[in-house]
């Protein structure tokens, strides 16, 4: 398969992505500091919207897709895999885990990043899942090299996750990103080393493994967005936007 539909970004464009990525990381850190028992996911969303506007940026999720996503961030609690919708009635409680996924658009460029946070004190089971999921993200990033293949990323993630008996979500994948939120290539978090499209300098995409304690299979609610584990066991996720450089890989969604 060719790479004709994968856009390569120039050094100037990658610098714009670096600025958007930094803003995204700062927003995520800010929201993470608000996570505690008693706060609603709605309040996190309100703060995200306000903060993003104050920085002269826009929230990509708001109105995105079909049906239009109704909020500025995704908040995915416990068994929700991804695309959870903030809600006034959803109050975080001790022992919950929550993934917050932010995507501000700064000067036309998207920064996409997420983390799973603990609300109060996690169970041992939740703590282990979240730690392994974060390590999956970094193992995926470390598998990226110019001249390598997309499948190298998923292979590294799958091998690590499954060694703990966890499963890797199949139906949501990482994606190319730039002036557009979701572009080719697709970046599965499972697969075989040495397969898939070639990784080239200038490619910018996300790696965002979703790891489940039980089955990888998902249900999507009638709202058209909320994806949850079929067995309602816990799911965790971490995401960075990265760029392939001549030397290797750069994480664009860092807060410094
Ligand atoms: N930020 C999510 C991702 O990582 C996408 C969210 S789409 C939305 O790709 F519409 F739900 F915001
Ligand atoms: Co995201
Ligand atoms: Co993404």
């Amino acid at each position: 398969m060719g790479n004709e539909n994968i856009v390569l970004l120039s050094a100037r464009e990658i610098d714009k992505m670096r600025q958007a990525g930094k803003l995204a990381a700062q927003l995520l850190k800010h929201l993470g500091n608000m996570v505690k028992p008693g706060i609603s996911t709605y309040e996190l969303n309100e703060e995200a919207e306000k903060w993003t506007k104050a920085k002269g940026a826009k929230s990509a999720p708001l109105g995105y897709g079909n049906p239009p996503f109704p909020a500025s961030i995704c908040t995915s609690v416990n068994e929700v895999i991804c695309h959870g919708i903030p809600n006034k009635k959803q109050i975080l409680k001790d022992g919950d885990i929550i993934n917050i996924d932010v995507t501000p658009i700064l000067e036309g460029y998207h920064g996409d990043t997420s983390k799973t946070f603990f609300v109060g004190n996690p169970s041992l089971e939740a703590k282990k899942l979240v730690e392994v999921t974060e390590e999956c993200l970094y193992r995926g990033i470390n598998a990226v090299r110019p001249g390598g293949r997309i499948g190298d990323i998923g292979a590294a993630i799958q091998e690590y996750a499954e060694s703990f008996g966890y499963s890797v979500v199949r139906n949501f994948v990482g994606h190319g990103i730039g002036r557009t939120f979701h572009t080719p290539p697709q970046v599965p978090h499972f697969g075989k080393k040495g397969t898939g499209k070639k990784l080239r300098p200038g490619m910018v995409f996300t790696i965002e493994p979703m790891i489940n304690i039980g089955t990888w299979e998902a249900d999507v609610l009638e709202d058209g967005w909320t994806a949850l584990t079929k067995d309602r066991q816990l799911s965790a996720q971490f995401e960075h936007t990265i760029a392939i450089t001549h030397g290797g890989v750069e994480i664009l969604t860092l807060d410094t």
Side-chain angles (χ1 to χ4, degrees), residues 92-223:
L92 298 180
K93 58 180 198 305
D94 186 56
D96 284 344
I97 58 173
I98 177 174
N99 176 278
I100 302 178
D101 191 338
V102 302
T103 313
I105 309 171
L106 183 65
E107 294 171 20
Y109 291 84
H110 293 71
D112 190 3
T113 185
S114 86
K115 272 185 193 194
T116 300
F117 299 95
F118 299 120
V119 183
N121 296 109
S123 67
L124 280 178
E125 186 188 46
K127 189 157 179 280
K128 186 72 195 171
L129 174 70
V130 170
E131 282 171 4
V132 169
T133 305
E134 184 166 29
E135 177 67 17
C136 281
L137 170 59
Y138 287 101
R139 286 187 179 225
I141 293 170
N142 284 329
V144 173
R145 51 188 54 74
R149 299 274 172 176
I150 292 256
D152 301 352
I153 299 167
I157 292 170
Q158 183 176 16
E159 184 189 21
Y160 190 67
E162 290 182 354
S163 76
F164 294 88
Y166 298 146
S167 67
V168 178
V169 170
R170 303 283 200 268
N171 31 354
F172 301 96
V173 297
H175 50 92
I177 185 166
R179 285 189 163 274
T180 304
F181 197 169
H182 295 100
T183 67
Q186 298 203 130
V187 183
H189 305 106
F190 56 94
K192 284 200 169 32
K193 199 169 154 59
T195 66
K197 295 202 170 161
K198 200 168 208 174
L199 299 172
R200 299 173 193 277
M203 284 171 65
V204 176
F205 55 80
T206 71
I207 302 177
E208 47 182 297
M210 286 143 276
I211 306 297
N212 299 351
I213 285 183
T215 181
W216 56 264
E217 290 177 288
D219 286 327
V220 176
L221 296 184
E222 291 91 285
D223 60 28

